[in-house]
Amino acid sequence: ETGVTQTPRHLVMGMTNKKSLKCEQHLGHNAMYWYKQSAKKPLELMFVYNFKEQTENNSVPSRFSPECPNSSHLFLHLHTLQPEDSALYLCASSQGWDRRGGSPLHFGNGTRLTVT
Amino acid sequence: EDQVTQSPEALRLQEGESSSLNCSYTVSGLRGLFWYRQDPGKGPEFLFTLYSAGEEKEKERLKATLTKKESFLHITAPKPEDSATYLCAVQDRKDKLSFGAGTTVTVRA
């Protein structure tokens, strides 16, 4: 199994649909993240979980709802999305922080979301 | 607020033509600077971490350097397989990570 696996790879949904994105990491990491990537813009942090506890919610609209049932799995539940939410959604994991600084993020290949 | 600016936005190189990418940053207490490579349709792949000014890291044709204001990613004698978008990110003293918008490198054979 590769390090961080995201499903589905592509998702097209209408504005009234409800769907979920799934992420699984096989690296034994303590922290998991959701990022949004839009064309020609920096990665935007959405949510952070450390040891299954949400430690950061970066002013994300409530139509995005994260869930972290254990340290290996992360979900992003979507409902009533807007066309401007179309983007690549990336999941990442990391070991956490050491005395020198943060350990690097390991990313999945993302879910390409299109909202129609 | 931390800021990360990458330049140029796009870079087209001939195979074997060495060049450098720039990552300028302002950050409240740098704890680490990260370089990633992202191929189309894939997530970013970690390349290097630099912790303090003067530090250098190398991997194959890539070399990353760090000063107090910027980092450079030098690509020596690039090959077509080095074509990708290169992302820079800085981590501040509150452990917040901020990414730049990336530099897209195209290497022609």
Side-chain angles (χ1 to χ4, degrees):
Chain A
E1 285 282 359
T2 54
V4 180
T5 304
Q6 290 188 244
T7 55
R9 290 299 313 276
H10 302 273
L11 179 63
V12 179
M13 59 187 289
M15 294 169 60
T16 58
N17 291 159
K18 288 185 180 181
K19 295 286 185 182
S20 296
L21 311 185
K22 179 183 176 182
C23 176
E24 184 174 359
Q25 60 101 355
H26 305 275
L27 300 169
H29 288 165
N30 304 321
M32 296 189 76
Y33 310 75
W34 280 116
Y35 277 89
K36 176 183 179 181
Q37 187 174 37
S38 303
K40 298 191 183 299
K41 292 177 66 176
L43 286 170
E44 299 174 48
L45 178 65
M46 300 176 72
F47 303 104
V48 182
Y49 280 82
N50 269 299
F51 293 99
K52 303 188 300 177
E53 298 296 323
Q54 184 175 313
T55 56
E56 189 156 349
N57 175 338
N58 230 20
S59 302
V60 180
S62 59
R63 57 186 183 269
F64 295 91
S65 175
E67 179 189 0
C68 187
N70 55 61
S71 58
S72 298
H73 293 86
L74 186 64
F75 295 90
L76 187 62
H77 303 299
L78 315 171
H79 66 95
T80 325
L81 293 190
Q82 305 298 311
E84 59 263 31
D85 296 322
S86 298
L88 181 68
Y89 288 84
L90 291 164
C91 173
S93 69
S94 74
Q95 188 58 42
W97 316 119
D98 62 24
R99 65 177 180 80
R100 297 193 68 183
S103 61
L105 301 179
H106 294 258
F107 288 88
N109 285 327
T111 295
R112 173 67 62 187
L113 174 67
T114 303
V115 181
T116 59
Chain B
E1 185 175 326
D2 302 339
Q3 285 198 327
V4 182
T5 303
Q6 292 189 246
S7 62
E9 185 176 318
L11 186 61
R12 294 175 63 87
L13 300 172
Q14 199 66 35
E15 185 173 3
E17 178 189 1
S18 301
S19 189
S20 297
L21 284 56
N22 178 264
C23 173
S24 298
Y25 63 88
T26 55
V27 64
S28 55
L30 180 71
R31 292 199 68 197
L33 184 142
F34 303 86
W35 281 100
Y36 292 85
R37 168 194 171 125
Q38 186 172 21
D39 293 302
K42 294 195 171 183
E45 175 188 350
F46 170 69
L47 292 174
F48 304 109
T49 308
L50 300 168
Y51 292 104
S52 57
E55 191 172 358
E56 298 182 352
K57 293 275 180 73
E58 281 189 72
K59 180 180 180 180
E60 296 180 355
R61 295 175 293 282
L62 301 177
K63 179 180 178 180
T65 62
L66 180 65
T67 72
K68 290 186 177 181
K69 294 183 179 180
E70 58 193 349
S71 177
F72 290 94
L73 185 65
H74 306 279
I75 310 178
T76 302
K79 298 182 177 182
E81 52 262 43
D82 294 321
S83 298
T85 296
Y86 292 86
L87 303 176
C88 170
V90 296
Q91 180 196 0
D92 68 15
R93 61 174 172 232
K94 295 183 179 179
D95 293 333
K96 179 183 174 186
L97 193 64
S98 299
F99 280 85
T103 294
T104 299
V105 175
T106 304
V107 182
R108 296 165 292 174

